[in-house]
Amino acid sequence: MKILIVDDDPHIRDVVRFALEQANFDVDEAADGKQGLDLFDPAVHQLIVLDVMMPEMDGTEVCRKIRAEAATPIIFLSSRDDEIDKVLGLELGADDYIAKPFSPRELVARVKAMMRRLELDGGGKAPADDAEIMEHGELKLDRTSFEAFWGDHAIELTKTEFMMVWGMMRYPTKVYSREALMRLAYDDHNVVVSDRTIDSHVRHIRKKFEAIDAAPIETVHGVGYRLAKAVDG
Amino acid sequence: MKILIVDDDPHIRDVVRFALEQANFDVDEAADGKQGLDLFDPAVHQLIVLDVMMPEMDGTEVCRKIRAEAATPIIFLSSRDDEIDKVLGLELGADDYIAKPFSPRELVARVKAMMRRLELDGGGKAPADDAEIMEHGELKLDRTSFEAFWGDHAIELTKTEFMMVWGMMRYPTKVYSREALMRLAYDDHNVVVSDRTIDSHVRHIRKKFEAIDAAPIETVHGVGYRLAKAVDG
DNA sequence: CATCGACAATTAGAATCTTCATATCGGCAT
DNA sequence: ATGCCGATATGAAGATTCTAATTGTCGATG
């Protein structure tokens, strides 16, 4: 997975590229909005660094077009306050912005923060990522059969529900934001749903486990959800 | 606190000095690397504006020597792309650079941006800035799981509480004013709450730790709060 | 057409944040 | 020491924000 930089100023591109590569990211560059759209591939780019003010096609328009096909997070670069207003006016979902002038260090920090928030960095290298079966305490999932178990009890989960729990199992102690859960549930990054929808899925999962007095998911108020701690002996 | 300018070109020095003084900074000048090192005092200079290409001792070397004794942020001035690469190759901590030709306005903007960042950080380059886990004595925080530990005991903190402690961990010996704590707790930097509110959060945090006879936060009368000293052996 | 799952909208309820009033403490001058 | 004043601690109530649970619509499926 790569990061796509779209900026008409080659100097800025250099800085950004260098900073990100130092931080061990792979980078693609585009010199204007059109080229950016051409180059962009939702399956390849996990994040976009996008200048707001560009000749030809400005950043907000690029954003809109990208949004039409993918929910890939975007970090805007902007210098003037009114540009920032414009960016904020967008439906800033998985987005952030940085005011110029920015330091390379700040950029990298933001990118990392975004990755963390969206649970993208773990995207391919979770512990036991390609396992067929994962366990955490009483909870066991089998992705070959799409079945969940709590101890010996089998639980029927729908695809979305299963994917959410499966995803959380990769880092069973981590708190997942709703945004992150969204990405776990829909491995294609193009879906954008309301946070309440996530609540709803969580509720359905809980309900199914309640039937056998199990509570696999706990709430972290104001942050998200987390798997219940394993208490086995 | 002053800003130190190191550049062999007297004309540039004039421009920079004038711009910065207009913006209400105090300025010291040095005409080459050696003189810069002589003049530099970590206790006096808050920031350095440093030309990369200078006769005798070039900017990167000056930087290295300064880094040997202080983490003072440096803004590099450079004209050629290969110089920029060289600068970026340094361990850019709290550093930035400006390409020549630059406008005085841009310089001032960068300097101010840097100051802003430093202040928000609590002054200087934060150690372990984007770490997932931080420890100080018995205290350990994990920001992926939003959990706090004192030794082996897990402590439940709310989001605001967690953010405050997490922020203080970055400089575990520093005293944080209530205002500073406010900034740590709310990533939206425009939230304004009463000082008493901070006291209240501190109290809540303390209460949770009291349950296990731990005292992670101490009061510095008239100034603010600070993490308790680490006493581990 | 009936059924089921996915999702959104709503509102009831819970957790958390904030403030306020009061008690206590710390530093300082007498 | 003693008393004063500003700073901090404490407890509790109110406001605010977040979550849980209910319900209804849409679309896909059989």
Side-chain angles (χ1 to χ4, degrees), chain B residues 80-100:
Chain B
R80 300 205 323 268
D81 284 352
D82 57 329
E83 280 177 31
I84 290 171
D85 289 348
K86 204 156 64 173
V87 168
L88 291 174
L90 300 173
E91 273 297 312
L92 274 183
D95 297 336
D96 196 1
Y97 75 90
I98 305 183
K100 296 180 189 173

Side-chain angles (χ1 to χ4, degrees), chain B residues 50-65:
Chain B
L50 177 61
D51 193 7
V52 176
M53 190 160 57
M54 291 184 297
E56 301 277 340
M57 188 189 298
D58 94 343
T60 60
E61 192 178 342
V62 176
C63 172
R64 262 187 294 275
K65 299 209 167 170

Side-chain angles (χ1 to χ4, degrees), chain B residues 131-162:
Chain B
E132 307 279 301
I133 293 174
M134 288 203 283
E135 296 189 54
H136 177 246
E138 294 287 300
L139 186 60
K140 181 168 86 174
L141 298 212
D142 179 340
R143 86 160 150 198
T144 67
S145 65
F146 253 83
E147 287 174 309
F149 299 89
W150 183 269
D152 291 331
H153 295 273
I155 307 274
E156 294 282 333
L157 297 179
T158 68
K159 185 183 177 182
T160 305
E161 290 159 7
F162 186 92

Side-chain angles (χ1 to χ4, degrees), chain A residues 11 15 18 101-106 112 116 173-175 222-223 226 229, chain B residues 84 88 93 95-97 99 110 117 129-130 132 143-147 159:
Chain A
H11 176 64
V15 175
F18 187 88
F102 59 89
S103 74
R105 176 183 143 77
E106 180 177 9
K112 284 189 177 172
R116 213 166 17 235
T173 62
K174 175 176 170 169
V175 179
V223 185
R226 161 173 63 194
K229 296 186 212 330
Chain B
I84 290 171
L88 291 174
D95 297 336
D96 196 1
Y97 75 90
R110 297 268 188 149
R117 277 198 296 277
D129 200 17
D130 47 8
E132 307 279 301
R143 86 160 150 198
T144 67
S145 65
F146 253 83
E147 287 174 309
K159 185 183 177 182

Side-chain angles (χ1 to χ4, degrees), chain B residues 6-64:
Chain B
V6 186
D7 197 310
D8 59 304
D9 181 341
H11 177 62
I12 300 255
R13 287 206 305 276
D14 278 354
V15 173
V16 174
R17 168 186 281 276
F18 183 80
L20 291 176
E21 286 181 343
Q22 285 298 98
N24 240 312
F25 293 106
D26 290 329
V27 173
D28 277 343
E29 287 183 28
D32 59 53
K34 189 172 174 319
Q35 196 183 329
L37 285 174
D38 282 349
L39 217 57
F40 172 65
D41 179 345
V44 169
H45 300 106
Q46 192 173 14
L47 188 150
I48 302 169
V49 177
L50 177 61
D51 193 7
V52 176
M53 190 160 57
M54 291 184 297
E56 301 277 340
M57 188 189 298
D58 94 343
T60 60
E61 192 178 342
V62 176
C63 172
R64 262 187 294 275

